[in-house]
């Protein structure tokens, strides 16, 4: 019984997160400016991290949490450095 | 540490599922906002839905399921929640500042002008 | 405590994080203490001053207030995003003067405002002591100004100044 509940819930969760990732990619393609694309990348990282948490529950294994933490950290560093580049890149131009 | 989905107690499965579905749907709403909202400064609000209660709901749901199934507190997911809560504002602030800087250097009239030491109002009326 | 650890909060946070990731055993606790000492020594070389907390009791109050506001603004932003009109002309910039001067207090205020959906911190001007935020729904601007000035700022000044 609880397996059915969890499987249905995880279908909804992973479907919603996958749709969210598609929407982020759409915004990343549309732009229109660099800051919009970086914002979409940040949201994409968060969705990927939550997707890993859902995978962890589905497989019943805690190993995915470390992976989720690392994805979160990579997303943070990537977005900060890209935002920094936006400011400095303009100065050089 | 692994378990089968059938080992999860029913109450934990239902409660955890509710929290996870709420979290995932909030993240989806945030992504919809990212696509629907018209300007960058409005779009910057959208991902915070996913990072505040979106992440919180998912983490809470998975904590409930793991704790109830393994019969001992599984708390390290809370690190993800703390980490995301602390880092997202930093990235959004930097992104907002760089966007403001770019818009100001292009002379975009929709953003508040650079505060002048003499008088910020003068600059605004000069636009 | 402060004699050994220049940054007691950072050291405590590192120990708790290490134990959560590696498991609660005596051996890991010793390693965690070692890591905390190394990290605080490293930060000491950078010469940052540790924020001094004046009133611990205000922290749970602030946390509860932020928790409640984040919950409500989640609902509000969800409604705005999904509604048909989608913020036509309702969003805008606000320049708010703040009395808070402590860097740690300002950092916490920035994190709170940005992580709340519906408000985003954009800039702080230290000569004028004013912050620029972007608000998704300007109809509630009065409530928001009142919230920032009378609740967040007052609590943060109690904690840090």
């Amino acid at each position: 019984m609880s397996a059915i509940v969890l499987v249905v819930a995880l279908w909804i969760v992973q479907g919603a997160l996958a749709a969210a990732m598609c929407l982020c990619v759409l915004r990343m393609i549309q732009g229109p400016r660099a800051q919009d694309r970086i914002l979409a990348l940040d949201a994409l990282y968060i969705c990927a991290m939550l997707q890993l948490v859902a995978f962890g529950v589905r497989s019943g294994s805690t190993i995915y949490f470390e992976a989720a933490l690392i994805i979160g950290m990579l997303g943070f560093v990537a977005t900060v450095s890209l935002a920094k580049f936006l400011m400095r890149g303009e100065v050089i131009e | 540490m692994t378990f089968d989905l059938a080992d999860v107690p029913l109450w934990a499965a239902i409660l955890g599922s509710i929290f996870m579905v709420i979290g995932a749907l909030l993240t989806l709403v945030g992504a919809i906002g990212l696509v629907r909202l018209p300007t960058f400064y409005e779009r910057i609000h959208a991902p915070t839905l996913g990072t505040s209660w979106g992440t919180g709901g998912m983490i809470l749901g998975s904590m409930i399921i793991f704790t109830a199934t393994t019969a001992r507190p599984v708390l390290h997911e809370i690190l993800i929640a703390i980490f995301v809560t602390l880092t997202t504002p930093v990235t959004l602030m930097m992104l907002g500042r760089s966007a403001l800087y770019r818009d100001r250097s292009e002379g975009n009239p929709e953003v508040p002008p650079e505060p002048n030491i003499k008088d910020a109002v003068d600059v605004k009326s000069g636009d | 405590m402060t004699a050994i650890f220049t940054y007691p909060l950072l050291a405590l946070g590192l120990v708790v994080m290490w134990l959560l990731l590696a498991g609660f055993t005596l051996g890991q606790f010793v390693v965690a203490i070692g890591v905390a000492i190394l990290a605080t020594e490293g930060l000491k070389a950078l010469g940052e001053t540790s924020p001094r907390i004046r009133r611990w009791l205000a922290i749970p109050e602030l946390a509860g207030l932020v928790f409640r506001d984040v919950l409500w603004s989640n609902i509000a932003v969800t409604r705005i995003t999904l509604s048909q009109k989608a913020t036509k002309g309702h969003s805008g910039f606000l320049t708010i003067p703040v009395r808070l001067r402590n860097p740690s207090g300002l950092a916490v205020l920035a994190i709170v405002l940005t992580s709340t959906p519906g408000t985003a911190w954009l800039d702080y001007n230290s000569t004028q002591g004013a912050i620029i935020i972007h608000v998704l729904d300007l109809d509630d601007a009065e409530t928001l100004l009142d919230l920032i000035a009378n609740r967040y700022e007052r609590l943060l000044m109690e904690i840090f100044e």
Side-chain angles (χ1 to χ4, degrees), chain C residues 104-122:
Chain C
S104 312
L106 281 168
V108 175
L109 183 66
I111 286 178
V112 166
L113 284 183
T114 312
S115 61
T116 309
T119 51
W121 173 289
L122 291 179

Side-chain angles (χ1 to χ4, degrees), chain A residues 50, chain B residues 19-20 23 27 49-63 81 84-85:
Chain A
L50 294 181
Chain B
F19 275 116
M20 287 205 304
T27 314
L49 276 180
T51 58
S52 58
W53 269 93
T55 308
M58 289 285 296
I59 297 297
L60 211 58
S62 101
M63 261 166 74
V84 167
T85 325

Side-chain angles (χ1 to χ4, degrees), chain B residues 26 29 33 36-37 41-42 44-45 48-49 52-53 75-76 79 89 92-93 96-97 100 104 110-112 115-116, chain C residues 17 20-21 67 70-71 74 78 81 83-84 86-87 91 93 110 114 117-123 125 128 132 134:
Chain B
L26 273 175
V29 169
R36 273 197 70 186
L37 295 175
Y41 296 101
E42 285 164 58
I44 208 167
H45 299 289
T48 50
L49 276 180
S52 58
W53 269 93
L75 294 175
H76 62 268
L79 280 180
L92 290 184
M93 248 182 287
R97 287 186 58 159
L100 195 65
R104 274 171 176 169
E110 285 182 5
V111 299
N116 201 308
Chain C
M17 191 188 91
L20 279 175
L21 278 176
F67 189 82
V70 168
L71 190 60
N74 259 293
T78 304
T81 309
S83 72
Q84 282 300 309
T87 77
S91 67
F93 298 92
T114 312
T119 51
W121 173 289
L122 291 179
D123 209 356
N125 187 298
Q128 294 175 332
I132 297 177
H134 188 270

Side-chain angles (χ1 to χ4, degrees), chain C residues 82-160:
Chain C
L82 295 180
S83 72
Q84 282 300 309
K85 56 180 167 40
T87 77
K88 271 238 165 58
H90 285 278
S91 67
F93 298 92
L94 271 186
T95 308
I96 302 174
V98 285
R99 286 162 293 149
L100 193 66
R101 285 292 178 274
N102 184 290
S104 312
L106 281 168
V108 175
L109 183 66
I111 286 178
V112 166
L113 284 183
T114 312
S115 61
T116 309
T119 51
W121 173 289
L122 291 179
D123 209 356
Y124 172 67
N125 187 298
S126 56
T127 48
Q128 294 175 332
I131 58 176
I132 297 177
I133 62 173
H134 188 270
V135 187
L136 194 56
D137 190 2
L138 267 182
D139 293 348
D140 290 345
E142 291 296 316
T143 337
L144 186 71
L145 283 175
D146 179 63
L147 178 77
I148 291 172
N150 295 332
R151 313 280 305 266
Y152 289 153
E153 228 188 309
R154 183 180 58 79
L155 282 170
L156 284 171
M157 284 172 92
E158 275 178 26
I159 295 173
F160 288 108

Side-chain angles (χ1 to χ4, degrees), chain B residues 25-104:
Chain B
L25 289 182
L26 273 175
T27 314
L28 181 60
V29 169
I32 292 172
L34 195 65
V35 173
R36 273 197 70 186
L37 295 175
T39 67
F40 171 76
Y41 296 101
E42 285 164 58
R43 284 196 280 269
I44 208 167
H45 299 289
T48 50
L49 276 180
T51 58
S52 58
W53 269 93
T55 308
M58 289 285 296
I59 297 297
L60 211 58
S62 101
M63 261 166 74
I64 290 170
I65 290 170
F66 272 87
T67 305
T69 313
T70 57
R72 64 186 192 85
V74 177
L75 294 175
H76 62 268
E77 287 100 324
I78 218 163
L79 280 180
I80 297 181
I82 294 172
F83 183 76
V84 167
T85 325
L86 287 182
T87 55
T88 311
V90 177
T91 54
L92 290 184
M93 248 182 287
M94 291 202 62
L95 210 50
R97 287 186 58 159
S98 58
L100 195 65
Y101 171 78
R102 294 185 76 172
D103 278 336
R104 274 171 176 169

